[in-house]
Amino acid sequence: MNILLWHVHGSWTTAFVQGPHTYLVPVTPDRGPDGLGRARTFTWPDAVREVTPAELADTPVDLVVLQRPHEMELAERWLGRRPGRDVPAVYLEHNAPDGDVPGTRHPCADRDDLTLVHVTHFNRLFWDNGATRTEVVEHGIVDPGHLYTGVLPRAAVVTNEPIRRGRYTGTDLLPELARAAPLDVFGMRTQGIAEHLGLPDERCRAHELPQRELHTAMAQRRVYLHPVRWTSLGLSLLEAMHLGMPVVALAATEAVEAVLPGTGVLSTRPEVLARALVHYLNEPQAAAEDGARARQAALERYGLKRFLADWERLMTEVRS
């Protein structure tokens, strides 16, 4: 198939384009949000092709994967065909609802011309989808390998824009947790976080690494910390588990499904998370054993083969 999708979520798209199709990614001269083109920090196969808006009008498209509300109008204008009516379409919802939770109505609620696909069961449960047909295709991860060494007695945190996003990403919880374990915060726009939180640099270091270096750096840390209050399901959490890291996570949204007993510690109490960090820092063997179980659990539930098979089934149904 020729599948049209915008480059919106680099990590998710990296898994999706491992399938057996041709993936058409719009590109514009400014490489802005509606025309980023191919990823520059992720490794994508040659089956991902950049197409300009002008080229799309004459390009056969078998399926459109929409990810933002305005893409419906954009696709119709660029293709000259209406998604859901003239060409099969699905709307992929990456995010947990934000607003009048749990009454948040999805932009695609009560539509009969497309399928609404959520990436977690939590998302489908909390969005008001109306009468629209919904499916859940859980995340899949391109396995980075069992890279865990845990040689550094520090906790890794991966989050983008933690200062701006604040309570959403649990940034306000970091001072208490940094007293239990020194933190390495990886992600975009993390610089200045120690000063913002009033922490000494030794207790909270910021790192903005390219994707090819991130996994190795994470795996050198003793434990992975996931303090996020409100998220769909952070792919970095699943990547940490694939790496073989034990996980200490806030028991919120879909994390309670992903982190199984024996793979780490889940709690809604920051003091419990702090004690878990201390435990893993002081017991490297226990950290390695729980991390190995975390990797096995992640491979079984969030492996790439299952992810691609679920999407194949769904895409076949949508086009039939």
Side-chain angles (χ1 to χ4, degrees), residues 3 11 15 25 53 108 173 206 228 235 286 301:
I3 300 173
S11 295
V25 179
C108 291
L173 303 176
V228 184
L235 284 174
R301 182 159 183 172

Side-chain angles (χ1 to χ4, degrees), residues 4 25-29 49-59 78:
L4 171 64
V25 179
V27 63
T28 55
R49 286 180 38 214
E50 292 184 345
V51 289
T52 67
E55 291 171 333
L56 277 172
D58 299 315
T59 301
W78 289 0

Side-chain angles (χ1 to χ4, degrees), residues 7-316:
H7 176 184
V8 174
H9 192 305
S11 295
W12 181 89
T13 306
T14 297
F16 185 69
V17 299
Q18 305 302 316
H21 306 291
T22 298
Y23 305 90
L24 307 174
V25 179
V27 63
T28 55
D30 64 349
R31 291 190 178 267
D34 291 332
L36 277 175
R38 286 178 56 92
R40 297 178 177 181
T41 57
F42 296 88
T43 301
W44 287 359
D46 293 339
V48 183
R49 286 180 38 214
E50 292 184 345
V51 289
T52 67
E55 291 171 333
L56 277 172
D58 299 315
T59 301
V61 172
D62 300 298
L63 177 72
V64 181
V65 178
L66 304 163
Q67 301 171 79
R68 298 168 296 175
H70 75 277
E71 289 178 1
M72 178 67 75
E73 183 276 330
L74 205 59
E76 183 174 7
R77 177 154 48 90
W78 289 0
L79 289 171
R81 288 155 281 173
R82 181 170 178 78
R85 184 185 67 193
D86 305 317
V87 57
V90 299
Y91 188 102
L92 174 64
E93 181 52 71
H94 290 284
N95 299 316
D98 184 12
D100 183 25
V101 180
T104 315
R105 188 165 176 79
H106 196 276
C108 291
D110 291 331
R111 296 190 63 141
D112 61 5
D113 57 346
L114 52 75
T115 298
L116 176 54
V117 185
H118 293 286
V119 296
T120 71
H121 292 276
F122 178 91
N123 287 9
R124 179 163 71 172
L125 179 68
F126 271 72
W127 276 108
D128 175 4
N129 305 301
T132 305
R133 179 199 175 192
T134 61
E135 292 280 346
V136 176
V137 178
E138 294 189 306
H139 287 301
I141 300 291
V142 178
D143 183 14
H146 194 168
L147 304 182
Y148 180 72
T149 63
V151 293
L152 299 178
R154 302 178 65 89
V157 182
V158 179
T159 181
N160 291 325
E161 301 187 79
I163 296 175
R164 180 184 67 83
R165 296 167 69 195
R167 288 177 58 83
Y168 279 81
T169 53
T171 306
D172 59 301
L173 303 176
L174 295 183
E176 177 179 350
L177 297 171
R179 286 194 288 272
L183 308 179
D184 286 302
V185 183
F186 299 91
M188 294 186 295
R189 300 181 181 88
T190 55
Q191 295 302 321
I193 188 169
E195 182 181 4
H196 174 74
L197 296 174
L199 293 170
D201 289 342
E202 171 59 26
R203 303 305 294 183
C204 186
R205 296 173 179 164
H207 307 265
E208 190 166 344
L209 299 178
Q211 186 71 15
R212 63 183 176 275
E213 299 176 18
L214 176 61
H215 289 152
T216 300
M218 289 170 61
Q220 292 172 339
R221 275 66 187 175
R222 184 73 47 81
V223 57
Y224 183 79
L225 172 63
H226 187 71
V228 184
R229 274 193 183 85
W230 193 252
T231 182
S232 177
L233 178 61
L235 284 174
S236 57
L237 169 66
L238 303 182
E239 290 170 347
M241 294 173 71
H242 273 76
L243 291 168
M245 301 184 73
V247 173
V248 172
L250 204 62
T253 66
E254 191 79 359
V256 297
E257 288 280 334
V259 182
L260 302 180
T263 67
V265 175
L266 279 170
S267 180
T268 56
R269 296 160 58 190
E271 64 271 20
V272 173
L273 303 185
R275 288 198 295 270
L277 291 174
V278 172
H279 166 69
Y280 284 127
L281 260 58
N282 292 337
E283 301 290 341
Q285 184 63 34
E289 291 172 356
D290 284 5
R293 284 189 287 267
R295 173 172 167 77
Q296 189 58 41
L299 287 171
E300 291 176 2
R301 182 159 183 172
Y302 302 103
L304 186 65
K305 182 177 180 180
R306 190 276 309 154
F307 171 77
L308 293 175
D310 286 354
W311 269 104
E312 275 311 299
R313 173 192 56 77
L314 176 58
M315 292 188 294
T316 299

